[in-house]
Amino acid sequence: MSDASYLSLEKLTLAYGDTVAVADLDLDIRKGELIALLGPSGCGKTTTMRAIAGLLPVKSGQVRLDGADMTRVPANKRAVGLVFQSYALFPHLSVYENVAFGLKLKGMRGAELDTKVQAGLKSVGLSSFANRKPAELSGGQQQRVALARSMVMEPKVLLLDEPLSNLDARLRLEMRTELQRVQKETGVTMIFVTHDQAEALALADRIVVMKGGAIEQIGTPEDIYNRPVSSFVADFVGFENIFPLEGGKLRTSGGLIELSGEAPSAAGLAWRPRMVTLGTGPFRGTVRGTSFAGDSREYLLDTSLGAIKAEVEAALPAHALGADLLFDLPAGKAALLSKFS
Amino acid sequence: MNARSLFIPVTLFLVIAFLIGPFLIIVAASFSAGETLAFPPQGFSLRWIAKVFTVESFQASFAMSLFLAIGGTAAALVLGIPASYALSRYKLPGAEIVRTVVSAPIIVPGIIVGLALLRYIVVPFQVGITLALFVAHTALVLPYAVRVVSASLDNLRSDIEEAAVLLGSSRLGAFFRVVMPNIRGGIMSAFILGFVTSFNQVPVSLFLSGPGVRTLPVDMIAYMEIVFDPSVAALSSLLAFLSIGIVFAAERFLGFSRYV
Amino acid sequence: MFQNRAEALALALPAALFAAAVFLVPVVILLSDGFRSPVGGWTISAYTDFFSNTLNQTVFLRTLKLGALVTVVSAVIGYAAAFAIVNLEPGAKGRMTGLVVLPLMISPVARTYAWIVILGRTGIVNQAFQALGLTEAPLRILFSETAIFIGLLQLFLPLMIISLISALENMPKDAIPAARVLGANWFQVFWKVVLPLTKEGLVIGGTLVFTGCLTAYITPAILGGSKVLMLETLLYQQVSVSNNFVSASVIAFILIVMSFAANILLKRVATARNKMRSQP
Ligand SMILES: Nc1ncnc2c1ncn2[C@@H]1O[C@H](COP(=O)(O)OP(=O)(O)OP(=O)(O)O)[C@@H](O)[C@H]1O
Ligand SMILES: [Mg+2]
């Protein structure tokens, strides 16, 4: 086993009955890495997690963990933790008993058990809630019980399915830091699912972007943010001006357009609104909409290329609706897309 | 196929075979051409099915059972709908006592209900058997009527009556104009459940039979003790298809299972 | 909520008075008969007499035994069946549930009657046993406890399955996978998660089945015959053959006490388990 593949999925295909949900997925994860699984609803994130945990039979391919083939190992023998989107706390058990559940199954008893459970509760700040039932906790507290319940098992891999999605903005930020701290302290390998690109960028060592049951791109947050490989990823991470490239020219709703500067070789180009030069340039557009966002201002332009979004510093003088502006899409700044869909 | 994936189909097959199989055997046996009840059936004929319609006591007891099931259930609804309405919409003093009293006949063995009625109502007050049976079946269906109608009343927002009253309707008018139309499905379901319960009921009717006055199931048991031919099987099959048909139609048109 | 008391009583009293007059009062008088001394005053001698008779003892114990056995067996089969049904696709789930409910719509006379064809001397079971060479002469299955057991199980299993299906469906959706991931094998998943979370359905189903067994008349009458009696059939015999109304009253009281006791006992068992496990 190389260090680069502590957990590896090889040509993993997963199906519900005859409908394939994930096809030929390859993924290698290093020990101690924090991976974010990002993608639109229904792209197979939960399905992939369930297969890693052993809750869904694998149709073909392999799941390997720490050098061993896990593909046919049942869920209760995998040492994989899973925090469910619904938390899945046992409603008939107290918080304490929930956290102790897995440890007891391992045969742990008495003082050793108590020490572990108390430590687990303490690490998520719920020591004083030990005797409550899950129904008597807030959503965020339930989430933390679910986290503690998985963490005390010291899993080789901890999977979190949209762990922060049901929390309000403040709690979300709090739990984000919490997750990061736990991960740094224990060094556990973690995969978490999220819909939220900001969350993925902030937390993850690497981000896996999924689309339609396959991986679209794997990379560091910088890679994903600055160098999306496809129009899909570009769109997902906030590029708003995305065009296919044909023979060095931009295909727009206004026909093929020659760019200023050297035309790069790629399937498409993408610019964030901030990358659009406003005030000078070969193209002309009319302001159709404007919105103020604190330290910046966004303009929606009607142009011969179609609609263009541009963003400039708010300190600059504002343009009125209907104003005619010159602008440029500098080829040098664009993200080069190797796939356009 | 491994053991786990076989578990579901095998379990289901065995359970359904155990639950439905005997009934299918009865159906097959009713088409037998032989003289005695047996499986596999000897030959094929419709003679036993035809015979069901010629046995006179069956005709009389079928009419009696039909009368009891329809009349008793209707009476139970006449008593049960107002009671359910009071239980669900009013602050009723002693609501729990009322609820317990009307639903008690469900908990006490039917044979006891029948015996008690015979000893302390029929004999001392010289009540006719038919009336006694009618009263007994009404009491028996009452708990089901109250339960099902209450459930559909509880599913109906209570502010619609208040709205109707505010719009100038009387309380009674509000009930008939806005409540009844909305719980019609529940009432029909209660009727069907009551009908099936009453029609299939034996123990309550056991002591309450007199010369020529018997319910159909009691009559069937009596017939079987004397003649063991496939006509009872034929009759059973016919009745079963009748109740299955009614319940199916009810489910189709009313969503019966929502209320039961 | 309307506040008018007179109106509420006017609506509720007809039903309550009717049930009281034709049901409650006669049944209470019937029950009190068993405690009435022939020389005036109250006594429990009818009960001591009843239980000193060995035939009565046998019938009482048989009723208790068959009720308990049918309840336990239907719970075991019921969990397997309900689990299988809950895990089906939505369409198939509806159809299977329909098939389970179907027998409830069929007259118990017909359902019991079928077993005569199956279990009789020349019935299918005996035919099969003889064809396989398992027995020489036909076995006597009918008119035995076994026959009553089979008949009662078939009669009441649907009630247990239905109760357990709704209990299983009301379980939090990821509870079972969560237990699996935390290291529970299937047996532990059932014992530590499924059972405690569905115990209310089990109590409801168990009470329905047990009470059903106590109060069933047709099945023991047809499948047990006049020799293998249960309390219900004994009661009928006492009245129709021996005209012994005191003894009938005693049996009636025992039956009612047994159904209530079963209900309370099952609830106790469920809550006791619960208390035990919530101690850290
Ligand atoms: N139990 C199931 N039976 C059949 N199909 C399913 C089942 N669960 C999921 N699917 C399908 O598999 C695909 C992937 O689903 P999955 O739950 O993995 O999506 P996801 O990426 O987690 O989405 P979300 O972000 O909405 O949670 C979807 O098309 C979904 O419809
Ligand atoms: Mg999901």
Side-chain angles (χ1 to χ4, degrees):
Chain A
M1 178 198 75
S2 76
D3 185 47
S5 53
Y6 181 66
L7 170 68
S8 61
L9 311 180
E10 291 163 18
K11 295 239 157 300
L12 198 62
T13 299
L14 307 168
Y16 295 98
D18 289 331
T19 42
V20 173
V22 169
D24 280 333
L25 189 108
D26 284 302
L27 181 62
D28 285 300
I29 293 171
R30 277 188 291 278
K31 189 167 183 172
E33 232 181 342
L34 207 175
I35 299 282
L37 218 50
L38 188 64
S41 190
C43 70
K45 304 179 297 287
T46 299
T47 306
T48 308
M49 300 279 247
R50 292 176 73 88
I52 298 174
L55 294 170
L56 187 72
V58 168
K59 188 159 180 128
S60 66
Q62 267 200 353
V63 178
R64 301 182 63 83
L65 177 58
D66 201 4
D69 181 5
M70 288 282 144
T71 317
R72 305 263 169 263
V73 175
N76 56 333
K77 305 247 164 70
R78 281 206 187 186
V80 171
L82 175 54
V83 176
F84 291 80
Q85 189 170 351
S86 59
Y87 316 143
L89 296 180
F90 303 122
H92 61 298
L93 301 180
S94 66
V95 166
Y96 185 100
E97 292 283 306
N98 261 283
V99 176
F101 188 91
L103 296 174
K104 277 191 184 167
L105 290 174
K106 274 187 180 171
M108 198 180 283
R109 292 285 182 272
E112 191 191 5
L113 175 72
D114 193 54
T115 315
K116 281 241 177 189
V117 175
Q118 297 293 3
L121 286 173
K122 187 150 177 266
S123 78
V124 293
L126 287 177
S127 298
S128 55
F129 294 85
N131 290 321
R132 296 243 192 132
K133 287 280 173 73
E136 301 158 359
L137 298 179
S138 74
Q141 289 165 337
Q142 291 182 21
Q143 186 118 56
R144 272 143 57 195
V145 177
L147 184 63
R149 186 176 69 174
S150 294
M151 289 300 302
V152 295
M153 298 297 289
E154 293 167 13
K156 288 182 170 166
V157 179
L158 181 60
L159 309 171
L160 304 114
D161 197 351
E162 306 200 27
L164 310 178
S165 63
N166 292 342
L167 306 181
D168 67 39
R170 204 181 55 80
L171 250 174
R172 216 171 156 123
L173 220 61
E174 213 170 89
M175 283 301 293
R176 216 192 250 183
T177 340
E178 179 88 11
L179 267 185
Q180 229 166 3
R181 183 181 62 75
V182 167
Q183 203 263 342
K184 287 289 163 293
E185 263 171 29
T186 58
V188 65
T189 309
M190 247 190 214
I191 306 180
F192 73 96
V193 166
T194 177
H195 272 123
D196 179 352
Q197 51 132 334
E199 196 168 286
L201 294 169
L203 276 176
D205 295 324
R206 279 195 301 159
I207 296 173
V208 177
V209 184
M210 287 184 72
K211 176 198 175 191
I215 291 179
E216 186 83 359
Q217 185 174 4
I218 306 178
T220 62
E222 287 79 8
D223 283 339
I224 302 287
Y225 190 78
N226 296 324
R227 289 175 290 282
V229 297
S230 68
S231 53
F232 174 80
V233 178
D235 185 38
F236 213 80
V237 296
F239 287 78
E240 309 245 15
N241 309 301
I242 307 174
F243 299 95
L245 210 53
E246 280 175 25
K249 290 181 181 157
L250 222 51
R251 157 71 63 199
T252 71
S253 55
L256 287 178
I257 303 279
E258 191 101 31
L259 281 172
S260 56
E262 184 100 357
S265 64
L269 297 179
W271 291 264
R272 290 182 180 280
R274 209 165 339 106
M275 298 169 170
V276 179
T277 315
L278 215 53
T280 65
F283 310 118
R284 185 173 285 281
T286 315
V287 178
R288 275 284 162 258
T290 165
S291 68
F292 175 66
D295 50 4
S296 70
R297 198 183 296 277
E298 234 181 39
Y299 293 100
L300 183 64
L301 302 177
D302 233 0
T303 77
S304 56
L305 286 65
I308 293 286
K309 241 189 200 169
E311 186 186 322
V312 294
E313 271 182 45
L316 296 172
H319 303 287
L321 281 179
D324 267 339
L325 297 178
L326 293 175
F327 72 95
D328 190 15
L329 296 174
K333 284 191 181 173
L336 311 183
L337 311 176
S338 54
K339 241 172 79 188
F340 204 98
S341 52
Chain B
M1 270 228 169
N2 61 18
R4 182 98 33 82
S5 56
L6 275 176
F7 167 79
I8 288 179
V10 169
T11 306
L12 287 178
F13 176 80
L14 291 177
V15 168
I16 297 297
F18 178 64
L19 290 180
I20 308 279
F23 169 63
L24 298 180
I25 285 171
I26 280 291
V27 173
S30 26
F31 292 102
S32 170
E35 289 299 323
T36 56
L37 184 68
F39 188 90
Q42 303 121 321
F44 175 87
S45 84
L46 295 177
R47 59 187 280 215
W48 300 112
I49 303 216
K51 182 176 175 195
V52 167
F53 295 95
T54 61
V55 176
E56 263 172 45
S57 78
F58 283 167
Q59 290 174 6
S61 57
F62 178 75
M64 173 56 79
S65 276
L66 206 59
F67 160 70
L68 290 176
I70 294 174
T73 306
L77 282 170
V78 168
L79 291 169
I81 293 173
S84 310
Y85 192 68
L87 284 170
S88 125
R89 295 292 197 266
Y90 284 85
K91 229 178 144 74
L92 179 67
E96 271 321 299
I97 297 175
V98 170
R99 207 185 295 275
T100 310
V101 170
V102 297
S103 55
I106 220 171
I107 326 169
V108 174
I111 199 164
I112 300 173
V113 180
L115 180 60
L117 263 173
L118 178 73
R119 294 262 294 160
Y120 304 106
I121 304 273
V122 174
V123 176
F125 297 105
Q126 298 287 308
V127 175
I129 291 289
T130 309
L131 180 59
L133 275 170
F134 177 77
V135 162
H137 279 243
T138 306
L140 181 82
V141 172
L142 188 58
Y144 295 97
V146 170
R147 198 180 77 196
V148 176
V149 174
S150 292
S152 67
L153 277 171
D154 290 343
N155 284 336
L156 184 71
R157 296 171 56 94
S158 63
D159 47 15
I160 64 165
E161 291 114 280
E162 286 157 353
V165 170
L166 288 176
L167 290 170
S169 171
S170 69
R171 185 63 62 68
L172 196 65
F175 178 79
F176 281 107
R177 269 188 221 110
V178 304
V179 178
M180 277 292 263
N182 282 300
I183 59 167
R184 220 169 29 206
I187 292 174
M188 279 307 289
S189 300
F191 189 88
I192 287 155
L193 187 67
F195 182 93
V196 172
T197 307
S198 160
F199 201 91
N200 290 334
Q201 168 62 37
V202 168
V204 168
S205 324
L206 214 52
F207 288 118
L208 301 173
S209 14
V213 185
R214 252 184 195 158
T215 65
L216 185 56
V218 173
D219 201 24
M220 284 161 74
I221 296 179
Y223 181 92
M224 271 164 59
E225 275 162 10
I226 305 163
V227 197
F228 199 67
D229 69 21
S231 57
V232 173
L235 180 52
S236 299
S237 313
L238 290 175
L239 290 178
F241 283 116
L242 188 71
S243 25
I244 292 168
I246 292 174
V247 171
F248 252 89
E251 177 66 48
R252 251 251 128 67
F253 300 116
L254 301 169
F256 181 57
S257 54
R258 272 184 297 151
Y259 302 100
V260 181
Chain C
M1 215 30 121
F2 302 135
Q3 303 289 342
N4 190 331
R5 279 183 176 213
E7 239 173 63
L9 285 174
L11 290 168
L13 277 187
L17 290 179
F18 173 80
V22 308
F23 167 77
L24 210 57
V25 172
V27 168
V28 168
I29 299 176
L30 178 82
L31 295 178
S32 70
D33 273 0
F35 295 98
R36 221 182 284 277
S37 163
V39 294
W42 303 94
T43 168
I44 57 160
S45 66
Y47 286 79
T48 48
D49 287 354
F50 179 85
F51 279 107
S52 61
N53 177 322
T54 43
L55 169 74
N56 291 346
Q57 286 171 11
T58 316
V59 172
F60 173 75
L61 291 177
R62 178 184 294 136
T63 306
L64 204 59
K65 182 177 82 181
L66 281 172
L69 207 60
V70 171
T71 307
V72 170
V73 172
S74 72
V76 173
I77 301 177
Y79 265 113
F83 194 77
I85 290 173
V86 168
N87 280 300
L88 291 171
E89 310 272 307
K93 192 195 292 179
R95 281 192 294 278
M96 274 300 159
T97 312
L99 279 181
V100 170
V101 181
L102 190 73
L104 295 177
M105 305 300 156
I106 301 173
S107 161
V109 175
R111 296 172 69 190
T112 306
Y113 190 64
W115 290 110
I116 301 182
V117 187
I118 299 169
L119 302 175
R121 288 179 68 82
T122 57
I124 304 168
V125 172
N126 268 322
Q127 285 175 32
F129 277 14
Q130 280 166 309
L132 292 171
L134 290 175
T135 53
E136 294 271 305
L139 288 176
R140 189 187 164 79
I141 315 173
L142 217 53
F143 310 126
S144 69
E145 286 187 7
T146 313
I148 301 179
F149 169 80
I150 294 173
L152 289 176
L153 185 65
Q154 198 240 9
L155 210 53
F156 297 119
L157 181 58
L159 298 177
M160 179 65 93
I161 298 180
I162 298 298
S163 305
L164 290 178
I165 286 178
S166 67
L168 285 174
E169 289 198 319
N170 286 331
M171 263 181 31
K173 91 177 186 335
D174 283 324
I176 293 174
R180 289 287 288 161
V181 173
L182 289 168
N185 61 33
W186 285 110
F187 178 75
Q188 290 163 326
V189 167
F190 178 76
W191 201 247
K192 290 178 185 289
V193 176
V194 176
L195 191 59
L197 289 179
T198 54
K199 65 180 187 227
E200 267 164 38
L202 183 62
V203 170
I204 292 172
T207 309
L208 287 173
V209 172
F210 188 79
T211 315
C213 289
L214 293 187
T215 58
Y217 170 78
I218 303 161
T219 305
I222 297 182
L223 298 180
S226 54
K227 296 270 154 46
V228 187
L229 294 172
M230 284 179 72
L231 283 175
E232 284 262 311
T233 38
L234 179 63
L235 192 158
Y236 183 72
Q237 264 198 5
Q238 292 292 336
V239 173
S240 63
V241 180
S242 337
N243 253 320
N244 185 343
F245 288 104
V246 173
S247 169
S249 163
V250 169
I251 300 172
F253 191 72
I254 294 171
L255 281 170
I256 291 174
V257 168
M258 278 168 85
S259 350
F260 277 100
N263 185 301
I264 290 165
L265 190 77
L266 278 167
K267 272 190 193 146
R268 270 288 151 71
V269 171
T271 41
R273 276 184 56 84
N274 195 31
K275 280 220 188 75
M276 223 164 58
R277 60 188 45 246
S278 57
Q279 310 284 328

